Amino acid sequence: MTRCKDKIAIVTGAASGIGRAIALELAREGAWVSVWDVNESALAEVKSAIEALGVPAMTQVVDVSSRSQVRKAAHEVVKAWNRVDILVNNAGICRMGAIEEIQEDEWDLVMAVNLKGTFLCSQAVMGGMKKQGSGKIINLGSLSGKVGGIVAGAHYSASKAAIMCFTKSLARELAPYGVNVNGMAPGVIETDMTRTLAAGDYSSYVAGIPMGRVGAVKEAARVAVFLASEDASYLAGEIIDVNGGQFMD
């Protein structure tokens, strides 16, 4: 399948987990993919995996909470490949803890990476997308942002709720220019992050999932690819739940 053939994509937080899976699925659909993360060594492996699928890839070590780093990396993509067609704002960090115990610096860090990072990356590419009259931006929210947390703290949940609201604001602003902005809200997906939070035991979470299992990263990635393709050309501001029926709205 080549739903994203020769499209230029940026995926943040692409060194592992859902981000890595999204980058690979986009590549399988023909996209050229720039993978961003702070984990330089892991990025090299992702780049090799993408290139093995027969499409170009590039890596950039980027702290998405830094405006200068984001702007520089986005400029490098455009310089090398002329444009950006797809942005997947996946980069994020998760922290646990009762609200009373959350330190101010930890709150600020989670907000800076998750929410500010989504804003900065979107801002860096939206001008080009407006000029070309097309583009897809996909933002990663979370089930935690809808229900106040399941395996995460309030700061993570609040950041994800804000991302989902920001998605709607951005969608409203960019839709007149032919740019589709949508999001997805994964539930419990099996990644290194969730394995750490759950100590590898998902039994308590599975009990509340009608499908009787946690999700696989590829299942989340396929939803992102759908939103990045022309199959989603009439969607704007939509947040797709990917949670096995754990939460329905």
Side-chain angles (χ1 to χ4, degrees), residues 10-68:
I10 294 171
V11 181
T12 71
S16 62
I18 293 174
R20 181 184 184 280
I22 291 172
L24 290 173
E25 283 297 307
L26 284 169
R28 289 187 184 99
E29 294 285 349
W32 300 18
V33 189
S34 174
V35 288
W36 296 11
D37 207 290
V38 293
N39 188 337
E40 185 172 6
S41 60
L43 281 177
E45 184 277 328
V46 179
K47 180 175 184 288
S48 295
I50 291 170
E51 290 174 336
L53 296 170
V55 294
M58 71 169 70
T59 64
Q60 282 140 305
V61 180
V62 185
D63 174 358
V64 296
S65 69
S66 166
R67 184 178 188 273
S68 61

Side-chain angles (χ1 to χ4, degrees), residues 80-140:
W81 292 341
N82 298 317
R83 66 187 189 279
V84 176
D85 299 305
I86 299 163
L87 168 66
V88 181
N89 282 309
N90 168 77
I93 57 174
C94 186
R95 297 290 187 270
M96 297 286 286
I99 294 173
E100 190 174 17
E101 298 170 354
I102 297 173
Q103 299 298 310
E104 182 180 1
D105 59 349
E106 183 176 280
W107 176 279
D108 291 344
L109 176 63
V110 171
M111 291 296 172
V113 175
N114 297 3
L115 178 57
K116 182 183 175 184
T118 296
F119 156 67
L120 290 176
C121 293
S122 299
Q123 192 180 58
V125 305
M126 62 186 290
M129 288 182 173
K130 287 169 69 174
K131 287 180 182 178
Q132 67 198 27
S134 63
K136 308 286 185 182
I137 298 178
I138 300 98
N139 296 329
L140 270 290

Side-chain angles (χ1 to χ4, degrees), residues 160-204:
K160 290 299 186 176
I163 286 169
M164 291 186 284
C165 184
F166 175 73
T167 299
K168 296 177 185 294
S169 298
L170 190 62
R172 191 176 298 277
E173 187 169 322
L174 291 184
Y177 298 91
V179 180
N180 301 91
V181 183
N182 294 287
M184 46 192 287
V188 184
I189 305 295
E190 187 172 8
T191 65
D192 289 342
M193 184 174 73
T194 57
R195 276 191 290 269
T196 299
L197 294 173
D201 180 10
Y202 293 108
S203 57
S204 59

